[in-house]
């Protein structure tokens, strides 16, 4: 009970009303909420307050949030917030200011970079819950069949993209259906690292991050490489979702998969799947960079249940026990102690993953990059994702990215006006 006792004195935000303490907390996110059920159940036992989850498909979440608040009564108390949308959501006025409640309390328990991601114009608008990195998963049986030595888990032995694709083609030639796959193909989070590895930047620059820069040489080179792996057939155009890509790996039909540590708990449940993980690749003439950061928790500006919402946030993010439950076993937490506990358990769950905990600590400390905090992120993500998709399906990066540059410049011009 110490976690809850620690948050019971959280101050109410002055602009928010005190409400009856028996009101159910309404939590909005994506999917079915199954990954958070353990957290919800534990909070209900500790606080005696029920958490009701409402979810929509991942691709619909951001637009749904905006539309819900436009009605004047969102019906939401707490919602998952992609931290890149903090500036946009701040401008729309849909986030409660959490500065007085959590800015000081978060210093120490949470990774400083995650706390920084929750800040905008001197205010703390969200509370970080998760962190992330990416790994190169591989099927040991498929590699052995092809005579390919299993990659090392050491960051000192990190492979280049060129080497990974060379090996993927060799394993594919030996019978694997597909050589390589990105879990989140086309998505900005997954692919930002390609031009970044080559020194091309995140696609925006300037003090306000509203100057578009997606057509430089590094972006075009990265785009040509991305298109080539699908044109060659080493990566498949068949899957229509991240779930389908992961299912290929689970079925033993995919040799190499770049994906997040959240996959580990499910992969461990697959009978006969002999897999391991290696460091995220980089380009031979570039540098090692890895995706990072993850979902935050926000309190709806129109909530009528502010007191309980603040207590839930504190339990889910600042209290170690709640933060561990929120990881569902293999996600990384923005809570430093919770991440340490999750990482320590991963090698115990699967002997093949020995050293993966050390690898992820290294990536978080040395290679992690974050997406840009720009007021144009919604447009950046949508249009960049569409451009990667076009390239995956055969368009020339040398034509696609200059066209993307022009589209984003027109879109950003409206933001500046």
């Amino acid at each position: 009970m110490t976690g809850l006792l620690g948050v019971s004195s959280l101050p109410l935000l002055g602009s928010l009303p005190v409400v009856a303490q028996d009101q159910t907390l309404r939590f909005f996110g994506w999917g079915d909420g199954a990954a958070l059920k353990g957290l919800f159940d534990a909070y209900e036992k500790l606080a005696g307050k029920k958490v009701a989850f409402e979810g929509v498909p991942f691709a619909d979440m951001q637009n749904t949030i905006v539309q819900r608040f436009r009605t004047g009564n969102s019906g939401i108390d707490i919602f998952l917030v992609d931290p890149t949308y903090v500036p946009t959501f701040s401008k729309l006025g849909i986030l409660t200011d959490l500065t007085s409640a959590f800015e000081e309390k978060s210093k120490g328990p949470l990774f400083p970079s995650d706390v920084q991601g929750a800040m905008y114009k001197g205010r703390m608008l969200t509370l970080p819950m998760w962190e992330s990195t990416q790994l190169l998963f591989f099927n040991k049986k498929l590699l052995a069949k092809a005579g390919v030595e299993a990659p090392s888990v050491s960051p000192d032995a990190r492979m280049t993209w060129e080497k990974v694709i060379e090996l993927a083609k060799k394993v594919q030639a030996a019978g694997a259906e597909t050589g390589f796959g990105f879990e989140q193909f086309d998505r900005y989070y997954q692919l930002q690292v390609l031009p970044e590895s080559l020194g091309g930047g995140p696609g925006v620059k300037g003090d306000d991050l509203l100057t578009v820069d997606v057509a430089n040489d590094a972006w075009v080179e990265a785009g040509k490489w991305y298109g080539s792996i699908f044109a060659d057939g080493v990566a498949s155009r068949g899957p229509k979702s991240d779930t389908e890509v992961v299912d290929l790996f689970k079925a033993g039909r995919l040799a190499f998969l770049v994906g997040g540590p959240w996959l580990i708990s499910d992969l461990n449940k697959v009978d006969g799947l002999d897999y391991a993980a290696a460091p995220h690749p980089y380009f031979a003439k570039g540098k090692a960079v890895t995706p990072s950061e993850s979902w935050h928790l926000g309190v709806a500006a129109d909530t009528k249940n502010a007191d309980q919402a603040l207590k839930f946030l504190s339990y889910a993010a600042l209290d170690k026990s709640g933060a561990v439950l929120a990881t569902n076993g293999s996600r990384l937490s923005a809570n430093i102690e919770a991440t340490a506990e999750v990482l320590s358990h991963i090698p115990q769950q699967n002997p093949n993953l020995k050293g993966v905990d050390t690898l992820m600590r290294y990536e978080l400390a040395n290679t992690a990059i974050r997406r840009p905090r720009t007021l144009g992120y919604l447009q950046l993500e949508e249009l960049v994702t569409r451009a990667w998709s076009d390239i995956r399906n055969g368009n020339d990066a040398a034509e696609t990215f200059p066209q993307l540059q022009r589209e984003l410049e027109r879109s950003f011009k409206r933001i500046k006006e």
Side-chain angles (χ1 to χ4, degrees):
M1 290 293 290
T2 55
L4 282 179
L5 290 172
V7 303
S8 61
S9 60
L10 281 173
L12 280 176
L13 304 185
S15 60
L16 296 174
V18 179
V19 297
Q21 292 298 301
D22 61 351
Q23 186 168 340
T24 297
L25 275 172
R26 301 161 300 175
F27 189 110
F28 186 83
W30 49 266
D32 60 6
L36 291 168
K37 187 177 185 305
L39 173 66
F40 295 159
D41 289 348
Y43 184 76
E44 185 174 352
K45 288 180 181 178
L46 287 171
K49 308 300 176 186
K50 183 176 178 59
V51 182
F53 180 86
E54 179 187 356
V56 295
F58 181 89
D60 299 333
M61 183 172 171
Q62 308 305 339
N63 286 331
T64 302
I65 288 172
V66 173
Q67 291 301 322
R68 289 282 289 267
F69 280 95
R70 280 179 177 167
T71 67
N73 181 13
S74 69
I76 298 169
D77 295 312
I78 300 165
F79 59 107
L80 289 174
V81 179
D82 182 327
T84 52
Y85 286 91
V86 168
T88 300
F89 288 173
S90 172
K91 186 176 181 179
L92 294 173
I94 65 178
L95 286 167
T96 291
D97 187 340
L98 304 178
T99 309
S100 62
F102 293 124
E103 184 179 17
E104 290 303 316
K105 291 178 182 292
S106 64
K107 294 176 181 177
L110 305 185
F111 287 107
S113 55
D114 287 309
V115 175
Q116 184 60 37
M119 305 294 295
Y120 184 65
K121 292 187 175 180
R123 298 185 300 153
M124 188 173 196
L125 297 176
T126 55
L127 191 62
M129 181 171 66
W130 290 333
E131 244 297 348
S132 72
T133 188
Q134 293 284 293
L135 300 166
L136 177 67
F137 296 105
F138 58 91
N139 185 302
K140 295 181 68 177
K141 289 182 180 178
L142 291 178
L143 267 63
K145 181 181 177 182
V148 171
E149 183 179 356
S152 170
V153 73
S154 170
D156 293 333
R158 188 187 308 273
M159 292 193 295
T160 64
W161 285 119
E162 294 88 346
K163 183 65 175 179
V164 170
I165 297 305
E166 175 191 328
L167 296 180
K169 289 179 177 179
K170 186 175 181 180
V171 179
Q172 194 173 25
E177 179 180 318
T178 306
F180 174 83
F182 283 106
E183 177 193 1
Q184 299 182 39
F185 58 88
D186 299 344
R187 285 189 196 160
Y188 186 95
Y189 165 84
Q190 184 101 89
L191 302 183
Q192 176 192 354
V193 295
L194 298 181
E196 290 265 24
S197 177
L198 293 169
V204 290
K205 60 185 180 180
D207 292 340
D208 58 0
L209 294 177
L210 286 174
T211 300
V212 182
D213 187 25
V214 296
N216 60 56
D217 291 346
W219 271 75
V220 172
E221 183 176 348
K224 286 184 175 295
W225 176 87
Y226 186 66
S228 73
I229 65 175
F230 294 95
D232 291 347
V234 66
S236 174
R237 291 174 176 147
K240 304 302 181 186
S241 68
D242 52 357
T243 301
E244 291 183 22
V245 178
V246 174
D247 285 345
L248 277 177
F249 190 76
K250 288 180 176 179
R253 297 156 56 192
L254 173 62
F256 290 97
L257 169 68
V258 171
W262 50 82
L263 297 177
I264 289 173
S265 58
D266 283 340
L267 296 180
N268 286 343
K269 297 173 185 175
V270 180
D271 290 338
L273 180 61
D274 190 14
Y275 82 100
H280 187 283
Y282 71 108
F283 284 113
K285 67 178 185 179
K287 63 180 180 179
V289 288
T290 51
S292 69
E293 73 190 347
S294 192
W295 295 89
H296 291 200
L297 295 172
V299 175
D302 62 0
T303 182
K304 305 251 186 330
N305 203 8
D307 192 26
Q308 275 302 320
L310 293 176
K311 290 180 181 180
F312 177 86
L313 262 63
S314 187
Y315 179 64
L318 299 183
D319 184 285
K320 177 187 172 183
S321 59
V324 169
L325 286 170
T327 68
N328 198 33
S330 62
R331 285 185 179 272
L332 302 183
S333 176
N335 184 298
I336 297 170
E337 291 186 353
T339 280
E341 181 165 328
V342 170
L343 289 177
S344 70
H345 290 161
I346 286 177
Q348 300 171 17
Q349 298 166 11
N350 187 335
N352 283 346
L353 299 179
K354 182 179 179 181
V356 168
D357 53 332
T358 301
L359 169 62
M360 287 194 279
R361 290 189 188 96
Y362 178 89
E363 304 289 47
L364 289 173
N366 296 280
T367 64
I369 61 171
R370 297 180 180 271
R371 294 165 296 163
R373 296 297 188 270
T374 169
L375 276 171
Y377 186 78
L378 191 151
Q379 295 90 334
L380 179 72
E381 182 179 58
E382 179 181 350
L383 295 177
V384 167
T385 296
R386 189 178 72 190
W388 285 117
S389 177
D390 289 343
I391 292 168
R392 175 171 56 88
N393 287 298
N395 286 16
D396 186 352
E399 297 177 359
T400 301
F401 282 139
Q403 179 181 343
L404 171 65
Q405 175 86 16
R406 293 189 291 271
E407 288 184 272
L408 282 170
E409 285 174 348
R410 287 194 295 269
S411 182
F412 279 22
K413 183 178 180 181
R414 291 192 291 271
I415 297 172
K416 293 178 180 180
E417 290 174 348

